[in-house]
Amino acid sequence: MNIAINRARETRIMEKAVRDFRWLSSLLVSVLLVSGLVQPVQGADISPESLPRYVAVLPALGDGTEGERNDLHLAVNNALGASNFELLKPASTQQLLETIFLDESLTLETMPAKQLAERLRVDGLIYVEMVEISKIYVAAYAQYKVAIRIKFYSLQHDRIIWEHEDSETEREGGISADPLSFLATAISSSRILTDAVRLQLTDVLARRFAKKVPQPQALFAKAKPPEIVSALSNASEGPFTSGDEIRVLVEAEPNLNIEFQLSNSDRLWPLSEQSTKKSGELSAAAKAHKSPLRRYTGRFVVPKGLNVDEAQISLQVQRGREKPITWLVPGRVVIDTRPPKPVTSLNALPQANLVQLTWQSQGDESAQEKYMIERALKKSGKFNRLAIIELTEFEDDTLEPGNAYRYRVTPIDPAGNRGRSSTVQVETLRYGPTSIDKDIGQNVFYKAAGSPYQISGAVNILKDVKVEFEPGSVIEFMPESSLTVLGSITAKGRPSEPIIVKGNRWQINHTLPSPSLSLYDHIHFRADANSVEGEKKPSEGLIRLQQARVELGNCTLTGVQLQLQQGADAKVSKCHFQQASVAVALHRGKLSVKDSRFVDNQLALDNHSANADISKSEFAGNQRHIQTQAPLKLSGVSFPKDDFIGLQQRLQGHVEIDWGSLPESQNLQAQWLQTLWIQTTEAIAEQDWRSARKRLSQASKVMADPRFEDLIESLYLLQNPAARAPDIKNPRLLSSILKLREQGKRARLVWLPLESFEQHKSFTLSYLHYYHAKLMADGILRVDPTALEPAMLLREEIGEGIDHDLGALFLVDEDMMQVRLKNLGFIRQPPLLKSLQLVKPARKQLCNSAGPWAYGEQAVDGANPIDDDGCLSLRVTAARDLDLYLFAGNQMGQFVQILPDQCQETGVLSNRVTAQQTLAVPQNNNQQPTVAQRREWPYTHFFAVGLADASASRYLAPILSQSSALCQTSQNGEKASLKQIQQLLYIADKRSGGNLQWMMTAGGAVPSQAQE
């Protein structure tokens, strides 16, 4: 904080001193004007004393590059160096502007001039604009034009007080009718009109401006500064590297001591004065000058390790013992002695007679690197330069097919520094077809472009010779041809560029021990069809291994057999064997097959060896999957198109399958056993002991579970209760069944899923929820959780190892079980009621007669209802002896009891009905069927309730409490809805175990039976 306070104090003191100095200067100028010692400036529209004295030249805006605008800015500053202005140094101006414009919303164009002048602490601003800068070639002329506009702003007047526009053009060349001469002229002019010309034009414009701009009166007489006409450098030739020269040229008055330096260095380099005879003619500007001028030159050789980023060249100019002045030379010097980084990802793509090179630069986009391309024959090794280019690709089309070349790419930065070279080797392609009909005696790499490689006859790869095929190659065997490998083959394709091996009746023989390993990867082996008399017959290819090591990966073998003989060692991974008579024949040797598929072969695997390891593979659609003479164990091997029973027919010999290594979806044994066990448990639940025993016998052949024998014999004993029990080991179930039989009791097996047993925690609840799910879901019956436990004698969990524990078997005392289920209401009585029918006389006119049924009766239904002035009768038929109750619901929502007849209105003397008896209601005095008038019985529904015995009457009590006698037509009891009555009857029916049963019919509608 103290630092901030001190800075604020210093700022206030400086501002006060500036104000005092300006007031004193203005006073002095006024005195001098009054005394006539000085004259006012001619041409100014304001008085000289009002002209700004402390001035900042702002950075140039407008056309051209940033460097070109900077050069104009320096030229104006240099031209005003001998003026009466007190100029803010360019470096100070730049630093202050950078601070002011930290806020990105402000720019030099948008900031008000008054605010900018106050921030710079000056009373005048000079705005510089590059209106035009162009280098044009028109016809045979070359033209360089520079145009500027300069505005002078006064803080005191807060306006532009003076403007100046000017331009300068330099032309070179001459007219020529010859087009070739015109081209030569243009080239010559382009060389003449260099940046030096632009700087000279800029300097001329700046000097003319300095002469015309209105200036304040000088306060004191100033010594005339050294006269400098022009100052140039070769900065535009940069960037410079070690050994390059930075040269400075100055045209000025004679006998000056001039030195130059770079803005990042304190070292000064002298300029030597040259005589006009030695240095040649002066420039046009120097020639036009009245005073004699001299040319001064200096140079600086760039040393190694020096790196400069846009340094400014400044001159220290001194006349005799006068104080030296500083003159800024336009242009910025860049020195770069660091070599560029080498290129990366250099790649050569060959064709028959050309190579396409591509690479990547490690420099940024502004590096502007070039690249030198060199080529050498692989044999000679001498590199010759081909080109220097700016692109990151190059095409060389001056090559011959089948030759090997080396290319070298060297990066070169704009300073000329060379980076480390990168080299790539390439061989131009020789296109196929390529015939191979002789033995291969030396290492060779076959390019894909030479495909197809046509092998004819018996060709040998000699011992220790390595042959390699490029991805995408095609190897074609002529009929009956073979390739015997005594060395090694490496044929590694890619998923997008597999190697194709095809032909008709061909062989590849890997024989004799070899230290090398032959590799096949992403290969399509194919045996083409054989045409005989216009018919295509299958042809087989053969890959035979004897005393050899081979690995096959990601291969497809179509109609091709892999055969292993003595000493062979083959590893197969992710391969597809299809459409072969025998896909793999392992006679002797060692074979490992992993993650592979055998599809649609006559025989997938013919095994005669104990050294076969088949894992994580798939057999599908083969006529026979495996035929083995030696025990063969399969792990993780699936058969997606087979079922468990059908699979046994496709496996011959001792084949052991590790079913546990497969997921559930592929485990055929588990699926079969699960299906078989479900069928077994369903048969047990239905007490179909014969079917259950048959299914379980099939499962026992696959699963070695000693309990199966006990269960199978127990099922047989349940099927044949009088049969003699066999003598078996661990007869747990069987002995319990025999014990019940000795007691004269019946035995029964009950199966329950473990899921149900684990959920309900008791045999009673598990049994009832599984076998009486609807009644348990209704929640009507009241269940004691231990009611059935005494009837359960034994629990046997069976089915482990199939997929999970499917459930448990329970041996129960069937007689006790039936009694307890009846007591709980889960075993119903047989039907008590047979029918309930609503009828009417065939003729309505007989409703009031003594014989309403003279012409018969009609059933009442929806199509034949009862009229309001009609009559009706009820017919109830019993299925067995029972006590009958009849109820009816009237239109007022009341519920009445018709039978037993408390009002003696029905003529029915007793409500006891015998089996198959049909009771008619109402009856006359002779107990003959009669009718009730509709207006007397205006009921919408009729209910028949049958009780099997007197004990069921307790379930009828809730219904009786809702009813009134037939003769009590004006009772005041609560109204009972049809739904309520039905619910009460339903509950009573279920809780009584069918000792109370009921039927319902609608008055004038079809009767409905309210059974479960």
Side-chain angles (χ1 to χ4, degrees):
M1 183 175 289
N2 291 333
I3 294 174
I5 293 173
N6 292 335
R7 286 181 177 175
R9 185 182 296 115
E10 291 173 359
T11 301
R12 289 195 297 271
I13 293 171
M14 183 177 293
E15 289 176 348
K16 184 176 183 303
V18 169
R19 289 196 300 271
D20 292 344
F21 182 75
R22 289 176 178 174
W23 176 82
L24 182 59
S25 300
S26 299
L27 179 61
L28 180 59
V29 170
S30 299
V31 171
L32 292 172
L33 288 171
V34 171
S35 63
L37 295 177
V38 297
Q39 299 297 323
V41 176
Q42 298 299 320
D45 62 346
I46 58 174
S47 61
E49 63 272 15
S50 300
L51 287 173
R53 182 175 300 277
Y54 299 93
V55 176
V57 180
L58 300 178
L61 303 174
D63 198 10
T65 65
E66 182 179 359
E68 292 168 345
R69 293 193 298 270
N70 286 338
D71 291 342
L72 176 59
H73 177 248
L74 291 180
V76 173
N77 270 284
N78 287 336
L80 294 175
S83 68
N84 294 335
F85 294 114
E86 297 294 335
L87 292 177
L88 190 61
K89 291 184 178 180
S92 300
T93 303
Q94 185 63 33
Q95 291 176 358
L96 289 172
L97 289 175
E98 289 177 356
T99 304
I100 292 171
F101 296 136
L102 285 176
D103 182 0
E104 296 181 357
S105 64
L106 295 175
T107 64
L108 192 60
E109 296 91 332
T110 60
M111 189 172 188
K114 182 179 180 180
Q115 183 181 351
L116 181 59
E118 291 173 347
R119 295 287 297 274
L120 293 175
R121 299 176 184 176
V122 295
D123 50 15
L125 298 174
I126 293 180
Y127 287 90
V128 181
E129 180 184 359
M130 181 87 76
V131 177
E132 179 183 356
I133 179 168
S134 59
K135 188 175 183 181
I136 305 173
Y137 301 99
V138 180
Y141 287 98
Q143 172 178 295
Y144 215 141
K145 181 180 180 180
V146 178
I148 64 171
R149 178 186 297 118
I150 299 179
K151 298 179 181 180
F152 190 12
Y153 168 82
S154 170
L155 178 62
Q156 179 181 347
H157 302 88
D158 191 20
R159 64 184 178 87
I160 301 296
I161 61 174
W162 185 79
E163 291 189 33
H164 172 75
E165 289 191 23
D166 199 357
S167 64
E168 189 72 19
T169 302
E170 181 77 16
R171 293 185 177 89
E172 291 289 344
I175 298 176
S176 173
D178 184 359
L180 294 177
S181 175
F182 159 72
L183 181 60
T185 302
I187 294 174
S188 175
S189 298
S190 68
R191 291 173 178 169
I192 294 171
L193 298 180
T194 61
D195 277 350
V197 175
R198 174 182 58 80
L199 295 175
Q200 289 176 356
L201 296 177
T202 303
D203 184 70
V204 169
L205 293 171
R207 289 176 186 273
R208 286 212 291 258
F209 154 74
K211 289 180 180 181
K212 294 181 180 182
V213 64
Q215 301 182 23
Q217 294 292 340
L219 297 178
F220 304 98
K222 286 186 177 181
K224 184 179 180 180
E227 187 172 6
I228 299 174
V229 176
S230 65
L232 303 172
S233 74
N234 64 336
S236 61
E237 297 177 2
F240 301 94
T241 187
S242 57
D244 290 344
E245 285 188 356
I246 299 174
R247 297 185 297 276
V248 179
L249 171 66
V250 178
E251 289 181 326
E253 67 181 61
N255 304 319
L256 294 178
N257 181 24
I258 305 177
E259 296 176 311
F260 76 92
Q261 69 178 138
L262 302 179
S263 58
N264 67 321
S265 174
D266 295 332
R267 183 176 175 182
L268 295 170
W269 289 274
L271 277 73
S272 59
E273 184 176 354
Q274 306 290 328
S275 66
T276 54
K277 293 181 180 180
K278 182 177 180 181
S279 59
E281 294 294 331
L282 295 171
S283 66
K287 288 180 182 181
H289 206 274
K290 297 179 181 180
S291 303
L293 296 177
R294 292 289 186 271
R295 178 174 290 180
Y296 297 81
T297 60
R299 69 188 184 91
F300 161 58
V301 179
V302 177
K304 292 183 178 180
L306 178 62
N307 295 285
V308 175
D309 186 15
E310 293 193 350
Q312 179 71 58
I313 299 178
S314 62
L315 302 177
Q316 300 298 318
V317 184
Q318 187 177 23
R319 179 196 295 137
R321 294 185 179 182
E322 294 178 3
K323 184 179 179 180
I325 67 168
T326 300
W327 188 279
L328 299 179
V329 179
R332 298 277 179 167
V333 174
V334 177
I335 300 175
D336 180 9
T337 61
R338 294 163 295 197
K341 294 181 180 180
V343 302
T344 60
S345 304
L346 178 58
N347 184 47
L349 180 63
Q351 296 185 28
N353 57 358
L354 65 84
V355 168
Q356 198 167 33
L357 298 174
T358 58
W359 60 89
Q360 293 181 0
S361 170
Q362 294 196 70
D364 55 28
E365 293 182 357
S366 62
Q368 298 179 349
E369 290 180 352
K370 295 183 180 180
Y371 307 95
M372 181 172 66
I373 315 299
E374 299 172 284
R375 184 189 70 201
L377 287 171
K378 187 175 180 181
K379 295 180 179 179
S380 65
K382 182 180 179 181
F383 281 97
N384 296 310
R385 180 186 297 184
L386 297 178
I388 296 180
I389 62 174
E390 297 181 0
L391 302 176
T392 56
E393 59 182 36
F394 179 76
E395 187 175 282
D396 183 9
D397 58 359
T398 61
L399 307 175
E400 295 181 0
N403 281 348
Y405 298 93
R406 288 191 301 157
Y407 286 89
R408 188 163 66 187
V409 179
T410 306
I412 305 173
D413 65 16
N417 299 302
R418 295 188 179 186
R420 183 163 51 86
S421 300
S422 301
T423 306
V424 65
Q425 296 186 12
V426 66
E427 183 176 344
T428 52
L429 305 180
R430 189 183 299 277
Y431 290 109
T434 303
S435 176
I436 302 177
D437 54 4
K438 297 180 181 179
D439 291 349
I440 303 173
Q442 60 182 5
N443 296 344
V444 61
F445 180 81
Y446 289 113
K447 293 277 190 178
S451 299
Y453 292 97
Q454 297 176 337
I455 298 176
S456 59
V459 178
N460 299 303
I461 298 177
L462 301 184
K463 187 178 179 181
D464 299 328
V465 172
K466 297 179 180 180
V467 174
E468 185 174 355
F469 288 92
E470 187 182 31
S473 297
V474 177
I475 305 167
E476 183 178 359
F477 283 86
M478 298 295 103
E480 307 291 347
S481 295
S482 65
L483 179 65
T484 300
V485 183
L486 305 177
S488 66
I489 286 182
T490 299
K492 299 177 72 173
R494 301 190 188 99
S496 59
E497 296 179 288
I499 295 175
I500 308 297
V501 178
K502 63 180 182 177
N504 187 349
R505 303 187 306 280
W506 54 267
Q507 291 186 17
I508 298 177
N509 301 306
H510 289 266
T511 184
L512 297 182
S514 173
S516 300
L517 174 68
S518 290
L519 297 174
Y520 297 97
D521 191 54
H522 287 101
I523 313 294
H524 291 181
F525 295 97
R526 188 175 74 223
D528 296 333
N530 182 22
S531 296
V532 178
E533 295 180 357
E535 295 184 6
K536 287 190 174 182
K537 296 184 178 181
S539 168
E540 290 239 342
L542 176 63
I543 304 175
R544 179 186 289 118
L545 279 59
Q546 184 174 2
Q547 299 290 346
R549 294 188 306 135
V550 173
E551 289 185 5
L552 291 92
N554 302 289
C555 296
T556 299
L557 295 88
T558 303
V560 177
Q561 179 185 136
L562 175 64
Q563 185 182 107
L564 280 72
Q565 300 288 351
Q566 183 175 2
D569 185 356
K571 293 182 179 179
V572 179
S573 175
K574 298 180 181 179
C575 287
H576 190 106
F577 297 84
Q578 61 186 11
Q579 300 172 17
S581 57
V582 179
V584 176
L586 176 58
H587 298 295
R588 301 180 69 180
K590 183 179 180 181
L591 172 66
S592 171
V593 178
K594 191 176 183 180
D595 298 316
S596 297
R597 299 184 72 233
F598 296 82
V599 180
D600 298 334
N601 301 286
Q602 294 181 28
L603 174 59
L605 174 61
D606 183 14
N607 178 48
H608 298 263
S609 172
N611 294 318
D613 179 15
I614 315 295
S615 63
K616 298 180 181 179
S617 295
E618 180 182 297
F619 291 77
N622 305 296
Q623 293 184 21
R624 279 182 297 164
H625 295 318
I626 297 173
Q627 175 179 294
T628 181
Q629 303 297 324
L632 180 63
K633 184 174 182 179
L634 307 179
S635 176
V637 176
S638 63
F639 305 88
K641 293 187 178 181
D642 291 286
D643 57 40
F644 184 75
I645 298 300
L647 176 63
Q648 311 308 315
Q649 307 302 319
R650 299 178 188 269
L651 302 176
Q652 295 185 10
H654 188 100
V655 180
E656 180 183 349
I657 301 173
D658 182 7
W659 293 108
S661 63
L662 291 170
E664 180 180 354
S665 61
Q666 299 176 1
N667 190 333
L668 300 182
Q669 184 189 73
Q671 294 170 8
W672 176 73
L673 287 172
Q674 188 170 359
T675 301
L676 198 64
W677 183 247
I678 291 173
Q679 294 172 348
T680 301
T681 56
E682 288 175 349
I684 291 175
E686 296 171 3
Q687 301 186 42
D688 185 356
W689 312 123
R690 182 175 178 276
S691 296
R693 182 171 179 268
K694 179 180 178 182
R695 300 285 188 272
L696 199 61
S697 297
Q698 293 176 339
S700 67
K701 297 177 181 178
V702 176
M703 297 187 65
D705 191 334
R707 294 172 297 178
F708 277 12
E709 184 181 14
D710 182 24
L711 181 55
I712 290 171
E713 296 303 332
S714 298
L715 290 170
Y716 180 76
L717 204 59
L718 291 174
Q719 179 186 351
N720 304 282
R724 184 168 176 254
D727 186 12
I728 62 173
K729 296 180 180 179
N730 302 319
R732 191 162 179 251
L733 280 173
L734 189 62
S735 59
S736 297
I737 294 173
L738 290 173
K739 187 175 180 180
L740 283 173
R741 191 169 71 174
E742 291 173 359
Q743 297 173 359
K745 298 179 179 179
R746 293 179 301 157
R748 176 186 167 198
L749 281 176
V750 173
W751 180 86
L752 289 175
L754 283 183
E755 181 181 358
S756 175
F757 195 81
E758 291 173 357
Q759 178 181 356
H760 301 293
K761 308 300 182 184
S762 76
F763 170 74
T764 301
L765 293 179
S766 298
Y767 177 88
L768 293 177
H769 276 282
Y770 187 73
Y771 287 97
H772 300 278
K774 187 175 185 304
L775 284 175
M776 292 298 290
D778 288 343
I780 295 174
L781 300 179
R782 301 181 180 91
V783 178
D784 177 3
T786 63
L788 303 180
E789 304 300 318
M792 193 268 288
L793 305 178
L794 186 65
R795 171 180 173 174
E796 186 74 55
E797 292 190 12
I798 266 181
E800 301 93 333
I802 295 174
D803 178 40
H804 53 276
D805 293 341
L806 293 176
L809 286 174
F810 296 87
L811 180 65
V812 299
D813 181 339
E814 178 66 358
D815 296 328
M816 185 185 296
M817 192 80 166
Q818 293 295 317
V819 171
R820 290 180 175 266
L821 286 173
K822 286 180 181 179
N823 293 338
L824 291 173
F826 288 94
I827 296 181
R828 289 176 53 81
Q829 288 281 359
L832 300 177
L833 297 170
K834 191 171 184 181
S835 65
L836 169 63
Q837 190 176 22
L838 192 63
V839 298
K840 65 179 181 179
R843 294 184 179 181
K844 187 173 70 173
Q845 295 83 352
L846 300 179
C847 282
N848 296 316
S849 67
W853 312 109
Y855 292 96
E857 61 185 33
Q858 294 178 346
V860 176
D861 54 28
N864 188 23
I866 303 173
D867 297 334
D868 291 339
D869 58 348
C871 56
L872 58 92
S873 176
L874 289 172
R875 303 283 191 269
V876 182
T877 302
R880 51 176 293 189
D881 295 350
L882 52 83
D883 292 331
L884 179 65
Y885 285 75
L886 285 177
F887 298 93
N890 64 18
Q891 295 177 345
M892 303 300 294
Q894 293 179 327
F895 190 61
V896 298
Q897 177 181 331
I898 298 176
L899 286 182
D901 186 0
Q902 302 174 15
C903 301
Q904 298 181 357
E905 292 186 0
T906 64
V908 179
L909 302 178
S910 173
N911 67 327
R912 184 69 180 173
V913 183
T914 60
Q916 307 304 321
Q917 177 186 349
T918 298
L919 178 66
V921 179
Q923 297 179 1
N924 57 23
N925 294 333
N926 298 323
Q927 279 72 52
Q928 296 296 318
T930 185
V931 296
Q933 299 299 319
R934 178 70 171 175
R935 59 181 175 274
E936 296 175 358
W937 280 17
Y939 304 114
T940 57
H941 296 83
F942 297 90
F943 300 87
V945 180
L947 303 183
D949 51 43
S951 64
S953 60
R954 61 191 178 97
Y955 298 105
L956 189 63
I959 293 94
L960 294 174
S961 67
Q962 295 290 331
S963 66
S964 59
L966 186 62
C967 55
Q968 297 175 349
T969 57
S970 61
Q971 67 180 40
N972 296 322
E974 292 185 3
K975 295 181 179 180
S977 68
L978 173 64
K979 186 175 182 181
Q980 290 174 331
I981 297 301
Q982 288 177 308
Q983 183 68 17
L984 289 173
L985 288 170
Y986 180 78
I987 293 173
D989 187 336
K990 299 307 177 188
R991 288 183 177 174
S992 68
N995 285 316
L996 181 153
Q997 297 180 23
W998 60 284
M999 284 185 172
M1000 180 185 75
T1001 184
V1006 178
S1008 59
Q1009 182 172 343
Q1011 298 292 340
E1012 182 181 359

